[in-house]
Amino acid sequence: MHRALLFGTHEVDHVRRHDACSHPQKRSPASILVAVLGFAATIGIGFYAGQWVRDRFFVPSAKLEQGDRYRADLRGDEPQLGPNDALVTVVEYSDFQCPFCAKVTDPLKDAMGTYEGDVRLIFKHYPLPGHNLAPPAAQASWAAHQQGKFWEMHDLLFANQKKLDDKSLEGYAQQLGLDVAKFNADRNSDAAKAAVDSDYMSGGKAGATGTPYFLVNGRPYSGSLPAKQWREIFEYEREQARQIESQGTPRAEVYGVMMKDAKAQRGGGGPGKAPSQRDDGPDPNKTYRVPLDARPQFGPDDALVTIVEFSDFQCPFCKRVNASLADVKQNYPSDVRIVFRQRPLAMHQQARIGARAMLAAHRQGKAWEMHDRLFQSPSDMSEEAVKNHAKELGLDVPMFELDLAAAETEQMVKDDEAVANRLKSGGTPSFFINGRFLSGAQPYDAFKALIEEEKAKAQKLVDEGTPRAQVYEKIMAGAEEKPGK
């Protein structure tokens, strides 16, 4: 885990000057090697110096939690890095489809390397409801754990977050040299599902509402923290643990003493349904009935392919996918239309105002202009902010304010949410391309592949006599109402 870089000392002699008629001396292989090593060391020193400057001046200090401690329910068979008698215990709740969980891995390990022997990491699964591939990935890592290869599988899953399908998981097992027959049996077993469910329920009790989420000696932290902040957290908790140790508590019992008075549950809610209890999400190979309901539209009514987008104006992934959608608009001006439906997530406090603002602007023909303004400044989506957007866009501001506050506008948002819930589309962004599901901030090529498939099917309907303007209606007539097991 801990990576150390060893620098040797060296001298580089200045090249001696020669007379005009003298021949230059050839440098020996040893002197060339010294020069190369010196250059490499200079680069290395520069890298670490730059890293020090960044941490010192540009990375803020950690906000240290000093309040209540909370107890994580541990079975005792969880994957662990670090010794049992570590003074600092980190319980991580993570999701293999969550990009922030992948991002935190290296900073966390780097910080642990600084405190080697004093920090241990215990991994627990918390697959979010919107991530349909996270539960099977979690079960695959549990199966790898049965053969002593959890952390190797952990690294592969995070390095390949877009390839967590069944075939890929089996491929990772082969790559790691696992007994594949046992791996497949284990990952599909009731024991695997029970372990993941147990972790998820534990996370809910401990206060997890998203990922990554941590209890550091029982104190809660969340998000992809940088290594500098982890080191500060570890230092603070280690000093408190040392005080307990100095009073006569054996090192191996320090964590138990801390947990003796820790609270059993954080927050008033629970985690909801465990992964094995959830209904299946949309099958990307099936077609689902997705209504349009006169929502904001980009592209012609007679487009061969209709993309219905469910989005949240404060979701960073929704903002990121706009680049892919811009390419779709440019490359398919007459064959694709995009219909925007609202899906403001509860965790984004002002996203609902943004949703109502776009619909209010839609009444005056400026839905997409408002859409762009909202994504440009997602951190401030107060009513005052969206009214300023309306003014700058040249809207009738009094009328915009009435529509923003109207019960009808709020009902449109609720109707969009109801459609998304029926389709079990999970988080944001999510898309239905002629009724076929595509999840997440996908690159343009992912959209293009599905668009081309659906465009060919739609063109066949036109060739058989269906008017272009009725293609989507025709497809929806044979679509499924909702996903299910």
Side-chain angles (χ1 to χ4, degrees):
M1 180 193 305
H2 180 49
R3 298 190 295 271
L5 183 60
L6 187 62
F7 296 103
T9 60
H10 63 277
E11 289 184 353
V12 180
D13 292 331
H14 291 288
V15 178
R16 290 180 295 179
R17 295 182 179 178
H18 300 283
D19 295 333
C21 294
S22 65
H23 295 286
Q25 290 184 337
K26 292 184 179 180
R27 302 185 68 181
S28 69
S31 65
I32 294 174
L33 178 60
V34 169
V36 171
L37 290 175
F39 178 71
T42 301
I43 293 176
I45 292 170
F47 170 79
Y48 282 97
Q51 200 171 44
W52 179 86
V53 170
R54 185 198 64 187
D55 285 353
R56 177 66 177 82
F57 296 104
F58 296 100
V59 178
S61 295
K63 182 181 178 182
L64 299 173
E65 295 291 341
Q66 301 177 0
D68 293 331
R69 298 186 191 274
Y70 298 90
R71 188 182 310 116
D73 289 342
L74 300 176
R75 295 185 307 274
D77 63 350
E78 292 89 353
Q80 177 175 312
L81 289 175
N84 289 331
D85 66 350
L87 293 175
V88 180
T89 295
V90 182
V91 180
E92 175 183 6
Y93 293 92
S94 190
D95 173 313
F96 285 115
Q97 258 188 296
C98 167
F100 301 106
C101 295
K103 185 179 178 182
V104 79
T105 299
D106 284 344
L108 184 57
K109 287 184 178 180
D110 285 349
M112 288 180 65
T114 307
Y115 292 86
E116 192 166 4
D118 284 339
V119 178
R120 66 170 171 168
L121 172 65
I122 296 174
F123 188 97
K124 293 183 79 68
H125 302 285
Y126 198 79
L128 299 175
H131 293 163
N132 296 330
L133 297 178
Q139 290 171 215
S141 71
W142 183 89
H145 185 41
Q146 308 314 300
Q147 299 187 48
K149 290 289 184 74
F150 171 82
W151 294 105
E152 292 85 348
M153 180 64 78
H154 164 282
D155 293 346
L156 273 177
L157 295 174
F158 275 133
N160 298 277
Q161 286 189 305
K162 293 182 180 180
K163 295 182 179 180
L164 299 179
D165 57 280
D166 191 72
K167 184 178 180 181
S168 295
L169 295 177
E170 184 170 311
Y172 302 147
Q174 293 173 342
Q175 184 176 337
L176 294 175
L178 301 182
D179 179 332
V180 176
K182 175 175 170 53
F183 170 80
N184 285 332
D186 284 343
R187 70 186 172 110
N188 293 312
S189 68
D190 290 340
K193 294 176 183 178
V196 175
D197 285 355
S198 170
D199 285 354
Y200 185 79
M201 301 304 285
S202 168
K205 286 179 64 178
T209 57
T211 53
Y213 178 76
F214 307 87
L215 292 180
V216 184
N217 278 357
R219 288 191 167 128
Y221 291 88
S222 62
S224 180
L225 304 181
K228 172 191 173 182
Q229 294 185 4
W230 282 120
R231 286 191 289 268
E232 292 171 347
I233 293 166
F234 294 162
E235 183 66 30
Y236 177 73
E237 289 296 337
R238 184 175 68 170
E239 288 307 308
Q240 295 204 359
R242 281 175 171 171
Q243 292 179 20
I244 296 174
E245 186 182 22
S246 68
Q247 296 169 4
T249 300
R251 183 182 173 95
E253 298 177 15
V254 168
Y255 181 70
V257 169
M258 287 182 171
M259 292 300 100
K260 184 177 180 181
D261 296 323
K263 294 188 175 181
Q265 184 164 331
R266 180 172 183 242
K273 287 185 177 181
S276 68
Q277 299 171 327
R278 298 177 195 152
D279 294 331
D280 293 336
D283 184 339
N285 296 311
K286 293 184 177 181
T287 301
Y288 298 98
R289 189 172 298 121
V290 188
L292 307 182
D293 296 330
R295 293 306 192 261
Q297 174 179 312
F298 187 99
D301 289 339
D302 66 350
L304 292 175
V305 178
T306 297
I307 300 176
V308 181
E309 174 183 6
F310 290 90
S311 189
D312 172 312
F313 287 109
Q314 286 192 303
C315 165
F317 303 105
C318 297
K319 181 177 181 179
R320 183 185 304 172
V321 81
N322 285 333
S324 299
L325 296 175
D327 288 341
V328 170
K329 293 173 184 177
Q330 179 179 350
N331 295 325
Y332 296 93
S334 61
D335 288 332
V336 174
R337 64 174 166 174
I338 298 174
V339 177
F340 193 97
R341 302 199 72 139
Q342 313 296 333
R343 178 68 155 161
L345 302 178
M347 69 181 73
H348 298 149
Q349 297 181 355
Q350 293 183 328
R352 200 169 199 85
I353 299 174
R356 289 192 280 114
M358 183 180 181
L359 292 171
H362 183 43
R363 296 287 183 88
Q364 299 186 46
K366 292 287 184 75
W368 293 102
E369 291 85 349
M370 180 62 76
H371 165 283
D372 294 346
R373 285 295 184 100
L374 294 169
F375 274 123
Q376 285 170 6
S377 52
S379 61
D380 184 5
M381 220 163 284
S382 62
E383 290 196 9
E384 181 179 357
V386 300
K387 290 174 184 177
N388 285 335
H389 293 328
K391 182 178 179 180
E392 292 169 1
L393 291 173
L395 300 183
D396 180 333
V397 176
M399 181 59 69
F400 173 83
E401 291 177 353
L402 288 174
D403 289 334
L404 183 68
E408 182 181 354
T409 304
E410 174 62 22
Q411 187 59 50
M412 291 176 73
V413 177
K414 290 181 179 179
D415 290 345
D416 286 359
E417 291 173 318
V419 173
N421 289 335
R422 169 173 64 81
L423 295 168
K424 301 177 183 177
S425 62
T428 55
S430 61
F431 306 88
F432 288 85
I433 301 178
N434 275 6
R436 290 179 61 190
F437 184 59
L438 183 67
S439 177
Q442 298 287 345
Y444 167 70
D445 286 345
F447 284 95
K448 180 181 178 181
L450 201 46
I451 287 170
E452 289 294 335
E453 283 186 34
E454 292 304 315
K455 181 182 172 184
K457 295 178 186 176
Q459 186 61 54
K460 184 178 180 181
L461 291 176
V462 172
D463 294 343
E464 292 171 352
T466 301
R468 279 180 65 108
Q470 296 178 20
V471 164
Y472 188 71
E473 182 181 352
K474 178 83 171 179
I475 293 171
M476 290 298 99
E480 297 189 20
E481 183 68 15
K482 62 182 180 179
K485 288 187 176 180

